[in-house]
């Protein structure tokens, strides 16, 4: 399908640790100041109310070659992620085999 995969984490230290420990073969980016999360409206305001800290919501997106979102999954629970089969089905629906 010619698909590029990226993970985005909120700090460089976690991104480097994930790359080294898990040995993933895709690019891991970081969004240290939540700029991308804010731009995509993925901020959970006051997620940690005692410290008045905002966090990015866990999300998965598929983009086409023009940068348009063709599929998305946004969760309120960082432990709940889309199944790989759902990602593959969405990619096949848009891009074909």
């Amino acid at each position: 399908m010619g698909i590029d995969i990226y993970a985005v984490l909120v700090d460089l230290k976690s991104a480097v640790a994930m790359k080294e420990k898990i040995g993933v073969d895709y690019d891991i980016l970081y969004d240290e100041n939540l700029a991308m999360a804010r731009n995509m409206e993925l901020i959970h305001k006051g997620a940690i109310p005692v410290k008045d800290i905002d966090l990015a919501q866990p999300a998965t997106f598929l983009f086409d070659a023009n940068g348009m979102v063709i599929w998305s999954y946004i969760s309120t629970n960082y432990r709940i992620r889309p199944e790989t089969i759902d990602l593959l089905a969405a990619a096949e629906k848009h891009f074909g085999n």
Side-chain angles (χ1 to χ4, degrees), residues 36-81:
M36 186 170 78
R38 288 183 203 290
N39 188 44
M40 297 183 77
E41 300 179 4
L42 294 172
I43 296 298
H44 180 186
K45 290 213 170 271
I48 304 176
V50 175
K51 297 183 179 183
D52 194 31
I53 295 175
D54 298 339
L55 294 177
Q57 291 178 268
T60 304
F61 294 95
L62 291 179
F63 297 91
D64 67 12
N66 298 316
M68 299 299 297
V69 175
I70 59 167
W71 184 88
S72 65
Y73 180 89
I74 301 170
S75 179
T76 56
N77 184 333
Y78 75 94
R79 293 180 179 173
I80 300 173
R81 305 294 176 145

